[in-house]
Amino acid sequence: VAGSEARAVVMLSNDLSREVEAAVVASALTGPGGDTVGVKLRTDPDVVKLAPGSRVPVTLMVDITETLFEGADYRGEVNVPGLSPRGVPVIVRRRG
C-alpha cells in the first residue's frame, strides 16, 4: 500500500571454503517497461561476514510510494560480491 514500507527476510549462506566479508549490494528496481524507478531497496545489515558453512538473515526493505503503479511488478536483485555469482531476485508489487 502506498505510504507503507515492505519488508522481507532472506537467508544468505556461505557454501565456500573461505570466509567472506562484503557489502550487501541492492540493485535498482526496474518497472514493467524496463525503466529504473526512484525507489531504493535497502538492506540490514549492509555488510555481512560469513565463516565457511555459516548463514545470516538479511532484511530487505523498500518504501512503497505513489510512483509505483498498483499491481505492477518491479524487479531487482540483492547480491554479496564474492559469495555467489548470482544474486537473490526481488519483486516488489504495490497492492493499493
Side-chain angles (χ1 to χ4, degrees):
V1 175
S4 66
E5 178 184 69
R7 289 178 170 244
V9 177
V10 296
M11 189 65 70
L12 299 180
S13 62
N14 182 359
D15 298 328
L16 304 173
S17 59
R18 60 178 171 76
E19 181 176 87
V20 174
E21 182 174 4
V24 181
V25 179
S27 74
L29 291 176
T30 57
D35 295 330
T36 302
V37 295
V39 177
K40 176 102 173 103
L41 184 64
R42 303 178 312 279
T43 66
D44 183 32
D46 52 5
V47 174
V48 294
K49 184 175 184 178
L50 291 158
S54 68
R55 298 166 27 132
V56 64
V58 174
T59 301
L60 311 178
M61 300 157 288
V62 65
D63 293 324
I64 305 299
T65 68
E66 294 285 341
T67 59
L68 302 176
F69 293 114
E70 192 172 339
D73 288 347
Y74 294 85
R75 298 176 186 276
E77 182 178 88
V78 174
N79 199 352
V80 178
L83 184 63
S84 174
R86 64 182 190 273
V88 176
V90 176
I91 298 175
V92 175
R93 182 180 304 131
R94 181 181 146 203
R95 296 191 301 181

